[in-house]
Amino acid sequence: METAKGLRSLLLLLLATNGAKSSTVPEKEEPRNACKSLLNKPAQPDNYYLKDIIQCLADCRQVGSSDSCTSWNLERHWLYYESYLVENSMGTVDRPFVKSLIQNISTDTSEDLLFSLKPSQIPNQVMEGEDKPSDRVWLPKSFFGSLPGNRPMVRLAVTVLDIGSGNIFKGPRLLQEEGSSVLNNHVVGLSVGQAPVTGLSEPLEITFSHHRHPPNMTLTCVFWDITKGPTGDWASRGCSTQLGAEQTVCRCDHLTFFALLLRPVLDRATVMVLTRISQAGCGVSMIFLIFAITLYIVLSVGSGSQAPSVACWIQGAVFHYCLLCTFTWMGLEALHLYLLSIRVFNTYFGHYFLKLSLLGWGLPALVVIGAGSANSYGLYAVRDQENRTSLELCWFQKEPALYATVHGYFFITFLFGAVVLALVSWKIFTLSSVTANKEKRQNWKAVLTVLGLSSLVGMTWGLAILTPLGLSTIYIFAFFNSLQGVFIFCWFTILYFPSLSSKSPSSGTTARLDQAHSTSQQ
């Protein structure tokens, strides 16, 4: 009887279990996320791990990829992937975005090796006598003999990787520089295993072909430095750049991933900094120029100014006019200095100040009227490589007019001022050497006098000639010329306050300049 009850209980239990199974809805299995699976590197790489790397790179190459695309993590795993290819593979890898060649090379080879790097093809060795491809890597024969380990054979991997437009292999600095990019989004990898290869006696050469880049862009050979920062970044240490019109040669003394960075000479951040420096300096200069005008009025020497309009065409014309007035008055200051210090005799001219005013304000007006009649003014935009606007201003829209009425105009006035200043400086220092035994600190006074005269004739504008040398000269140019009004104010106060001036022979120019100002009012 108990046995029957036990069997009945077992039967009821089985029915309840089957009912529970039939009522359970099977959960839908989530698709495998290749990028999330790479958060931890397995102790022993397997096919799943390698496929995850490939799939994650394919998913993350474009802008706006999923949140699971952590660029620094994928970059680290891709280095593992290349090392795995060298250690465990032979042959080629042919994917839409990665092409690799892995082959054994004898370390006692007697010839240099050349490999093609066409992005659309698997890299292949170019034999002697064949035409050199436009994109290539050259490995000197001494490279294989200098490898550590004294191995008779080494396995070499040559990889061309298309990193796409996403954040992969961009690096922190490149992501912050607007307008900068990896040329054609192509990265070249060279590896002989996990052992690092550095300090090669004869550098390898990688040649990148490209279209003619805009003059406001620069090309730099770089390599991926895994030790730079917490995530790695591009660096140029150990690499040199040989620029060409349609080809650039990179020479490096180590193996890793290489690329050619395209950067604007003046990126948006630099343009903004220079704009802020100019705005701040010009603001300070305007304040001090107002002080100078006020003092000039107090000293019974009249002056006046006129405010510009707001329309872009008129803004460009007024800006041009003010700039030409600056250049013209610097030239007139040089002329005045020549009459005062070089010619000395027969320097009286009737209505001298009136004639200077007509020339100083009238000549720029005639040039502006001519440029305006040719419709030379308009909105001028500074653009980067991707045709994005970095800066807009009302200026010239026709370059011939800019070169003729600004560059040429400036060159003539600057050259005249430089010649006059050189003659005056020679005269001042010659006079200082004659009287050096009578008064001390004579040379310092002469130097300060020349510096003051330099601000009047605008010698700091000559720094424009040096701006092609680099970014530092551009900053110096913006700083000194935006503060020209401050320098003129300092010179003006020294000129009209006897307590700050010296009556020494070296400052005789200052005294005669004061006298000439009085004479010029006639």
Side-chain angles (χ1 to χ4, degrees):
M1 191 69 177
E2 292 180 358
T3 304
K5 290 181 178 180
L7 291 173
R8 192 164 46 248
S9 300
L10 181 60
L11 180 60
L12 291 173
L13 181 63
L14 291 173
L15 290 174
T17 303
N18 290 332
K21 289 183 178 179
S22 61
S23 62
T24 302
V25 178
E27 296 183 358
K28 185 178 180 180
E29 184 178 357
E30 295 183 359
R32 180 181 179 84
N33 191 311
C35 294
K36 288 184 177 179
S37 66
L38 294 178
L39 293 178
N40 296 308
K41 177 179 178 290
Q44 183 64 34
D46 52 20
N47 289 332
Y48 284 109
Y49 169 69
L50 300 177
K51 290 179 180 178
D52 286 340
I53 295 176
I54 293 291
Q55 186 60 46
C56 183
L57 181 62
D59 296 339
C60 300
R61 291 175 57 253
Q62 303 303 323
V63 176
S65 303
S66 64
D67 296 336
S68 60
C69 293
T70 307
S71 59
W72 65 268
N73 189 46
L74 180 56
E75 292 156 1
R76 177 169 58 92
H77 284 287
W78 186 260
L79 298 177
Y80 296 148
Y81 176 79
E82 189 184 53
S83 299
Y84 180 85
L85 288 179
V86 176
E87 300 294 337
N88 301 279
S89 177
M90 275 291 292
T92 60
V93 175
D94 188 4
R95 298 268 182 165
F97 52 87
V98 58
K99 313 287 184 180
S100 295
L101 170 69
I102 306 97
Q103 71 178 46
N104 285 329
I105 305 293
S106 174
T107 55
D108 61 352
T109 179
S110 59
E111 297 180 352
D112 301 333
L113 299 185
L114 188 67
F115 295 89
S116 67
L117 297 176
K118 293 182 180 179
S120 60
Q121 298 178 3
I122 298 174
N124 65 285
Q125 185 174 354
V126 180
M127 299 302 178
E128 186 177 358
E130 296 181 356
D131 294 336
K132 291 183 179 180
S134 56
D135 295 83
R136 57 188 181 271
V137 57
W138 174 79
L139 299 175
K141 57 185 177 183
S142 60
F143 161 76
F144 299 98
S146 61
L147 295 177
N150 295 323
R151 294 169 291 177
M153 301 285 291
V154 294
R155 188 169 292 179
L156 173 68
V158 182
T159 302
V160 180
L161 177 64
D162 185 350
I163 59 177
S165 57
N167 295 337
I168 306 300
F169 282 110
K170 296 300 191 296
R173 183 178 177 184
L174 199 64
L175 292 174
Q176 294 175 359
E177 295 179 353
E178 188 173 352
S180 301
S181 63
V182 175
L183 183 69
N184 299 326
N185 291 324
H186 290 153
V187 174
V188 175
L190 298 172
S191 177
V192 290
Q194 296 185 359
V197 178
T198 59
L200 298 174
S201 58
E202 190 174 2
L204 57 91
E205 292 184 1
I206 304 175
T207 302
F208 295 93
S209 64
H210 50 77
H211 298 294
R212 292 180 179 271
H213 60 279
N216 63 331
M217 305 296 289
T218 181
L219 293 170
T220 307
C221 296
V222 293
F223 72 97
W224 187 256
D225 188 357
I226 59 175
T227 64
K228 194 171 184 180
T231 62
D233 201 355
W234 292 110
S236 58
R237 183 180 67 257
C239 291
S240 63
T241 305
Q242 180 181 333
L243 297 175
E246 297 182 351
Q247 280 188 335
T248 297
V249 179
C250 300
R251 294 184 177 90
C252 299
D253 62 358
H254 52 275
L255 297 188
T256 181
F257 283 102
F258 302 94
L260 198 59
L261 295 191
L262 187 63
R263 290 173 171 168
V265 176
L266 288 179
D267 53 60
R268 185 179 180 85
T270 303
V271 169
M272 295 304 296
V273 171
L274 289 172
T275 302
R276 295 292 180 265
I277 291 175
S278 298
Q279 289 174 344
C282 290
V284 174
S285 294
M286 290 299 297
I287 294 173
F288 279 91
L289 282 174
I290 291 173
F291 292 160
I293 292 172
T294 304
L295 287 174
Y296 208 60
I297 293 175
V298 170
L299 294 170
S300 301
V301 179
S303 182
S305 62
Q306 198 173 26
S309 302
V310 294
C312 187
W313 191 95
I314 298 179
Q315 283 184 13
V318 171
F319 186 23
H320 186 205
Y321 177 74
C322 293
L323 189 64
L324 293 184
C325 286
T326 301
F327 294 157
T328 305
W329 278 106
M330 290 189 304
L332 293 177
E333 286 288 353
L335 174 63
H336 191 62
L337 194 59
Y338 168 78
L339 296 176
L340 180 66
S341 304
I342 306 300
R343 185 171 176 176
V344 180
F345 300 105
N346 299 324
T347 59
Y348 175 79
F349 299 96
H351 304 289
Y352 180 68
F353 188 79
L354 177 61
K355 292 177 180 178
L356 288 183
S357 298
L358 290 175
L359 185 60
W361 305 113
L363 181 59
L366 293 177
V367 176
V368 169
I369 292 174
S373 62
N375 196 26
S376 301
Y377 306 116
L379 187 63
Y380 180 80
V382 179
R383 301 181 183 276
D384 58 18
Q385 183 201 14
E386 298 180 1
N387 205 31
R388 292 177 297 189
T389 301
S390 299
L391 180 67
E392 287 186 346
L393 70 160
C394 295
W395 189 226
F396 280 87
Q397 60 183 0
K398 294 183 179 180
E399 290 190 351
L402 173 66
Y403 293 140
T405 64
V406 177
H407 297 180
Y409 199 100
F410 161 73
F411 179 77
I412 294 173
T413 57
F414 175 78
L415 184 61
F416 176 67
V419 172
V420 172
L421 182 64
L423 293 174
V424 173
S425 301
W426 173 80
K427 193 169 185 179
I428 290 175
F429 284 105
T430 302
L431 188 61
S432 299
S433 63
V434 172
T435 60
N437 296 328
K438 298 181 181 180
E439 294 187 27
K440 297 180 180 180
R441 300 168 61 189
Q442 195 71 22
N443 289 333
W444 281 106
K445 294 178 182 179
V447 169
L448 291 175
T449 301
V450 172
L451 289 177
L453 296 175
S454 298
S455 66
L456 284 178
V457 298
M459 286 298 99
T460 55
W461 287 85
L463 293 171
I465 302 173
L466 304 178
T467 51
L469 296 180
L471 199 57
S472 58
T473 57
I474 299 177
Y475 278 103
I476 295 173
F477 172 83
F479 176 78
F480 278 98
N481 287 294
S482 62
L483 293 176
Q484 187 181 10
V486 178
F487 303 147
I488 295 176
F489 172 79
C490 295
W491 172 250
F492 184 82
T493 55
I494 294 174
L495 179 67
Y496 278 99
F497 288 94
S499 61
L500 300 178
S501 302
S502 174
K503 295 182 180 180
S504 63
S506 68
S507 58
T509 301
T510 302
R512 290 197 299 272
L513 185 59
D514 188 13
Q515 179 183 2
H517 271 284
S518 301
T519 306
S520 65
Q521 299 176 35
Q522 298 180 2

